[in-house]
Amino acid sequence: MTGKKNDLGGLQLKRHRESTDEQSAPSVVSAVRAGGDPRVRRLPLDAVADNPENPEARAGDVAELAASMRQVGQLQPGLVVTARAFLEAHPEHAETIGDRAWVLLAGHRRKAAAREAGLEVLEVLERDGERMDEAVLHENMHRLALSPIEEAESFQRVMQRNDLSQRQMAEHAGISQSYLAKRLHLLKLPETLRRAVDAGVVAPSVGVAIVRENEAEVLTELEAVLTKAEPDLTQSWAVTSAVREASATVRRRQALLAAQEKARTEGVTVVEDPDATFGAWKLGDHRLRDEAQIEQARAAGDLAYAPEINGTREPVPVRLSAPSETTPAANSYEQQRKEADKERKASNEARRAFLIELVKKMPGAKERTAITTLATLRGAHLGSQVTSAARRIAQAAGVGPDADNDWDWRVSLLDQPSGIREHLAWIVALAALEDELRWANVSTWSTAALELVTYMTERGYTLTEHEERMVAKSTHTKEHDA
């Protein structure tokens, strides 16, 4: 099957699954059994309409199947329902069905091949009008005829028309409820990503993760980002980048709305773009840090609120006038910045000292696996910072090679005995996770970083005041986002 054009950045997308021959159709057999004792009919081809609800009506190349049918005839019957019964369930397709007496539920390739072979009749089994959608769904599932999106749409259609719960649908289709839920998640993706998943360009698991990890507003914004940028979605980083951009846009929008509402409630001004109003990176100079400063600015008519896009997203109280270099506000900010930097460095030293003691003894396999899995899923790798940190921790603990530079140490890791390798892999994972905690420009910690802190405290580490604040702030942010 040739690639088909679409507007995903001009990509040539190919379907990743298609039915290539007339395989056995156990779903038809099971559907027939459920319907009683059907009899085989020989219907004129022109009397049988394709099912507009069935994506497999796109029969594709049936030349080989047609040649076989010319020689031996039709080996397997199709499955039909009367047009009257079909239109009772799907009146919107009356014009498509026209005056034909039957609608094909399963066997579209057989019908197309019969026509190409010059046959005038189609052998079919008649099904009553109940559970037509299920028959189509089972047929296509067993023949691997549906893309993930088509499969999800079929599930949803059956559930809606028969008022089925996910549990009932899963039992009926013979799949797990988890599988069904993941497929239905795909229908929440923006249209561009749905087409990419449908074409096999983006993995269904990636689509499911995007839906699970982002709110509906981000998914809506994501479509705008993808339409505007037209990225090459065959590159995994392009999808990640688009999601990050959409999330940041929504974060800014929500922060601005919160600031506008706060300003409206208190009858003061809102500063929508602090960089444009105060100058780049000058928001901190105008920020009011306690109630006394806020009330003083309010009394002077100098109070405003600005959006906070990092941390808790709570509106930031600011003074509109520019503080001088000698005002308490400016001095307070500079002093607080220096104190915060000092606290951060002290926390880094305390954690590093604890890790050196912790890694001297290798834990059990379950514990090592939990940490290395966490680091891997976080995206850790042996970059220069992680390599340097891991080497210093390992050598201070007396574990592994004693190379005197990062590069020699890194390349010698594979030369170590298997037991030492596992010990070093655990140390590298710890160093990679701890690396995020060390930098001042990280406003909140990720889930992985918070799990590392919990792991350390469970083994005897005492959080510094700086770390306690970061844990509280990061936890509050995640609960707010949820």
Side-chain angles (χ1 to χ4, degrees), residues 438-460:
R438 304 183 66 78
W439 305 105
N441 60 346
V442 177
S443 58
T444 58
W445 286 341
S446 67
T447 299
L450 290 173
E451 288 190 24
L452 173 64
V453 170
T454 300
Y455 175 81
M456 292 173 61
T457 55
E458 288 174 349
R459 283 150 186 80

Side-chain angles (χ1 to χ4, degrees), residues 352-364:
R352 181 61 58 83
F354 178 82
L355 286 176
I356 290 171
E357 292 300 316
L358 177 68
V359 304
K360 288 180 178 179
K361 181 179 179 181
M362 184 170 67

Side-chain angles (χ1 to χ4, degrees), residues 1-273:
M1 181 179 291
T2 58
K4 56 182 180 180
K5 285 281 188 180
N6 67 84
D7 53 1
L8 290 177
L11 291 175
Q12 291 286 330
L13 304 185
K14 297 182 180 180
R15 297 196 56 82
H16 61 294
R17 292 191 296 178
E18 60 180 333
S19 178
T20 57
D21 56 17
E22 187 174 20
Q23 306 166 33
S24 62
S27 55
V28 175
V29 176
S30 62
V32 170
R33 288 174 180 165
D37 182 24
R39 55 193 179 88
V40 176
R41 289 177 173 269
R42 290 172 56 83
L43 301 177
L45 279 175
D46 292 340
V48 181
D50 289 336
N51 181 2
E53 296 274 317
N54 186 3
E56 180 61 6
R58 302 185 296 273
D61 185 1
V62 295
E64 291 186 11
L65 181 56
S68 173
M69 292 179 74
R70 286 191 194 98
Q71 293 180 346
V72 299
Q74 181 182 343
L75 298 180
Q76 296 179 357
L79 188 66
V80 298
V81 67
T82 64
R84 175 181 297 179
F86 181 85
L87 292 175
E88 285 180 1
H90 309 294
E92 69 275 15
H93 295 308
E95 183 176 350
T96 302
I97 301 304
D99 60 356
R100 284 165 290 193
W102 302 90
V103 177
L104 192 62
L105 297 180
H108 289 84
R109 283 178 52 78
R110 274 160 277 177
K111 178 173 179 282
R115 186 177 299 281
E116 186 168 324
L119 305 182
E120 296 182 354
V121 298
L122 182 71
E123 294 182 357
V124 298
L125 301 173
E126 182 182 353
R127 176 74 184 271
D128 62 32
E130 297 181 0
R131 300 170 68 182
M132 292 181 293
D133 294 316
E134 292 93 319
V136 175
L137 178 60
H138 277 293
E139 165 76 356
N140 286 313
M141 283 178 63
H142 285 288
R143 292 173 63 84
L144 299 178
L146 299 181
S147 74
I149 297 296
E150 290 169 343
E151 191 176 33
E153 290 172 340
S154 296
F155 285 139
Q156 186 179 67
R157 186 162 54 244
V158 172
M159 291 173 65
Q160 290 176 344
R161 287 176 176 164
N162 297 277
D163 193 25
L164 299 177
S165 66
Q166 284 193 17
R167 180 185 61 78
Q168 292 169 323
M169 182 71 250
E171 290 177 353
H172 177 75
I175 58 176
S176 69
Q177 189 170 343
S178 172
Y179 178 90
L180 173 62
K182 290 176 181 178
R183 281 294 187 259
L184 294 177
H185 271 317
L186 297 177
L187 299 182
K188 299 177 183 179
L189 287 170
E191 181 61 29
T192 300
L193 274 184
R194 285 178 61 170
R195 291 199 301 273
V197 171
D198 189 58
V201 172
V202 172
S205 58
V206 173
V208 170
I210 290 173
V211 171
R212 285 180 169 174
E213 295 172 7
N214 295 279
E215 57 187 305
E217 190 175 351
V218 172
L219 298 178
T220 299
E221 184 63 33
L222 180 56
E223 176 64 14
V225 172
L226 292 171
T227 302
K228 175 185 66 178
E230 295 188 351
D232 180 0
L233 297 182
T234 61
Q235 304 296 321
S236 59
W237 61 263
V239 178
T240 302
S241 176
V243 172
R244 187 182 300 116
E245 181 180 344
S247 180
T249 299
V250 170
R251 218 167 36 240
R252 288 192 295 268
R253 184 186 304 139
Q254 292 176 342
L256 177 57
L257 289 174
Q260 289 172 335
E261 177 61 20
K262 182 74 170 177
R264 185 193 64 78
T265 300
E266 298 193 14
V268 299
T269 302
V270 62
V271 177
E272 296 188 356
D273 187 344

